[in-house]
Amino acid sequence: MNEIFDGISSFLKSGKAISLKTPCYVIDEKKLEANGEILASVISHTGCRILLAQKAFSNYDFYPLLEKHISGTEASGLFEARLGKEEMPSKEVHVFCAAYRDDEFDELLNYADHIVFNSVNQLKRFGRKAKDCGKSIGLRINPEYSTQEGHEIYDPCAKGSRLGVTRSVWDKEMTAEVLELLDGLHFHTLCEQGSDALEITLKAVEEKFGDVLSQMKWLNMGGGHHITKSDYDVARLEKCINHAKEKWGVEVYLEPGEAVAINAGYLISRVLDVVENNGMKIAILDSSAACHMPDVIEMPYTPPLLDAVTDDSKPFRYRLGGPTCLSGDVIGDYSFDKELKAGDMLVFGDMAIYTTCKNNTFNGMPLPDIYRLDRNGDEEKLTCFGYSDFKQRLGRKK
Ligand SMILES: *Cc1c(COP(=O)(O)O)cnc(C)c1O
């Protein structure tokens, strides 16, 4: 638990949290810095390059902090590429998109340094133009080697996946003319995984695409590497990077999202009411799983909560849910040392990733304000939201 909440404990003890309007996200600068230092050490040990996958965390007020440690940003499309270019302008901008649009591609060329295509078709359609603009060109490959079970939604190697070119499709569609455009290959097959999974994935990549890799300048190993988790085997990651560099003479890129901002944020919320159903107590909070922590439902997982446990080793057990109409807007079941009552403050951990950039206003739910918790333990409101943020997405702007 300490790894998750130690960054906010003194802020909470200071009493400054009491006056915060909830729900709100608090992003922890010290934690981001600590994650950044771990990533920087991988860069300095191996000479690899590490990019922030912005789809996981794109609170750009922290880009100046992060850019001291990492090599640039990775984008999922036009808007994220623009954000990376605007907010981390001195660093590399990479983009991967499952399919680029004709009407956006020219603008994308203003922002991205590396452009990774998802199919040979797309490479044929846009590759020449991008190359002529001086871009480094990549193709996403699919090594067809799943290292995860149970959540197909996060497995790009699942059968029927649209992500990445399999070797058999490569053999069918690749031509000498577009092969010549390629500077690098990209794979992204992991999700919250250790370097052991990377090691076996790299073997699969070597078996399927080893022959073409030695013609490339770089290999991008995607994201899903849990590098900054305390139990991650960093030495094995560095071994994998060095292996690729030596074997194929490529530059190696990693583009973690989660690992950059893991445990670097909190969602502070309050209890609005406590109800009961068939002997079960249910606390209704001012924050919603569906709106403010969507991965709780999508993944699914139960987020860490300060001073509570998910088993029943504490005496007071509650199901925590959101204020929306959705029956399944449930954050999880937790046990506490004391009874919950309206007004109690609850602090969820690991809430910087896949939250602020993924939340929504379903049910007319307000978006939580976002705060910075700085090195000295002082908070600063970065942005706030209100009715207009809900309304403007729905109709004519007034
Ligand atoms: C999601 C994604 C990432 C980042 O994944 P994390 O699990 O957050 O590290 C990187 N690259 C690509 C192509 C992705 O789709």
Side-chain angles (χ1 to χ4, degrees):
M1 270 300 175
N2 279 350
E3 193 186 351
I4 302 173
F5 292 106
D6 57 359
I8 200 168
S9 63
S10 62
F11 176 69
L12 294 171
K13 278 196 204 108
S14 75
K16 285 187 244 174
I18 305 294
S19 58
L20 297 182
K21 183 176 138 242
T22 58
C24 63
Y25 300 106
V26 176
I27 312 286
D28 185 339
E29 224 168 48
K30 249 196 198 157
K31 285 277 186 177
L32 274 180
E33 189 91 55
N35 290 342
E37 280 164 11
I38 293 171
L39 299 173
S41 80
V42 174
I43 293 174
S44 80
H45 290 163
T46 63
C48 78
R49 307 183 71 79
I50 299 184
L51 312 164
L52 162 68
Q54 295 176 96
K55 75 158 192 260
F57 179 79
S58 35
N59 297 106
Y60 51 85
D61 290 289
F62 301 92
Y63 286 12
L65 179 160
L66 290 174
E67 76 179 349
K68 288 187 283 170
H69 303 290
I70 61 173
S71 320
T73 54
E74 189 267 345
S76 320
L78 182 67
F79 285 179
E80 284 184 357
R82 180 174 170 180
L83 187 67
K85 181 78 179 175
E86 284 178 358
E87 300 296 336
M88 212 188 277
S90 66
K91 298 282 178 146
E92 294 179 50
V93 175
H94 292 221
V95 62
F96 163 79
C97 185
Y100 297 101
R101 301 167 56 105
D102 288 310
D103 60 357
E104 289 183 356
F105 201 77
D106 285 348
E107 189 186 347
L108 190 65
L109 293 171
N110 296 330
Y111 311 133
D113 302 302
H114 280 220
I115 299 185
V116 178
F117 296 100
N118 185 51
S119 71
V120 179
N121 301 329
Q122 284 253 309
L123 174 64
K124 288 176 180 166
R125 190 180 188 92
F126 298 111
R128 182 81 255 165
K129 182 176 213 176
K131 190 82 182 188
D132 288 345
C133 287
K135 307 303 172 185
S136 198
I137 310 296
L139 185 65
R140 178 165 174 173
I141 54 169
N142 184 335
E144 297 176 87
Y145 192 90
S146 291
T147 50
Q148 37 180 327
E149 271 164 40
H151 32 320
E152 207 163 281
I153 178 175
Y154 294 121
D155 183 4
C157 292
K159 256 212 157 68
S161 168
R162 71 189 185 295
L163 299 168
V165 178
T166 62
R167 183 64 205 227
S168 66
V169 169
W170 172 296
D171 288 338
K172 226 169 31 195
E173 299 182 354
M174 187 56 74
T175 61
E177 195 185 348
V178 288
L179 180 60
E180 186 256 322
L181 297 175
L182 280 184
D183 297 293
L185 297 185
H186 174 289
F187 68 85
H188 169 73
T189 68
L190 307 181
C191 179
E192 299 190 329
Q193 283 172 282
S195 43
D196 49 341
L198 173 64
E199 192 168 69
I200 43 179
T201 298
L202 204 53
K203 283 212 176 77
V205 168
E206 181 159 357
E207 258 166 49
K208 292 243 157 76
F209 293 95
D211 58 330
V212 283
L213 267 166
S214 37
Q215 307 167 43
M216 298 294 148
K217 295 195 187 80
W218 50 263
L219 174 62
N220 186 323
M221 300 185 184
H225 315 280
H226 239 172
I227 307 168
T228 49
K229 264 207 120 187
S230 52
D231 58 355
Y232 188 89
D233 182 353
V234 178
R236 193 191 294 254
L237 168 69
E238 293 178 349
K239 220 176 85 196
C240 289
I241 295 169
N242 288 330
H243 171 77
K245 291 179 68 147
E246 284 156 23
K247 177 107 195 177
W248 301 301
V250 287
E251 272 235 68
V252 171
Y253 285 90
L254 303 175
E255 46 183 34
E258 177 149 356
V260 176
I262 194 168
N263 293 329
Y266 317 91
L267 178 62
I268 304 186
S269 67
R270 281 196 173 84
V271 177
L272 297 175
D273 194 15
V274 178
V275 297
E276 196 176 322
N277 183 314
N278 283 285
M280 177 186 273
K281 299 235 167 142
I282 306 124
I284 300 175
L285 311 186
D286 58 6
S287 54
S288 154
C291 301
H292 305 143
M293 40 179 109
D295 278 6
V296 163
I297 293 174
E298 191 173 295
M299 188 96 179
Y301 80 105
T302 304
L305 176 60
L306 183 63
D307 297 331
V309 291
T310 50
D311 61 30
D312 51 13
S313 62
K314 289 177 184 266
F316 298 97
R317 190 145 182 89
Y318 293 85
R319 173 161 294 175
L320 304 184
T324 71
C325 68
L326 178 74
S327 311
D329 190 355
V330 168
I331 299 161
D333 293 353
Y334 298 86
S335 302
F336 299 81
D337 289 319
K338 52 187 178 46
E339 272 188 277
L340 288 186
K341 54 182 193 326
D344 285 351
M345 182 177 277
L346 297 179
V347 180
F348 293 95
D350 197 17
M351 281 289 153
I353 48 171
Y354 295 101
T355 50
T356 51
C357 51
K358 201 174 177 180
N359 55 17
N360 64 76
T361 58
F362 180 49
N363 272 236
M365 285 293 293
L367 297 172
D369 297 345
I370 303 175
Y371 286 82
R372 175 210 307 272
L373 184 61
D374 73 16
R375 269 162 269 250
N376 308 317
D378 294 323
E379 87 286 6
E380 174 199 358
K381 192 193 277 184
L382 297 174
T383 183
C384 56
F385 306 96
Y387 175 65
S388 62
D389 298 288
F390 159 66
K391 186 176 177 187
Q392 60 150 24
R393 301 170 56 219
L394 301 171
R396 193 176 285 163
K397 292 202 170 53
K398 288 193 176 145

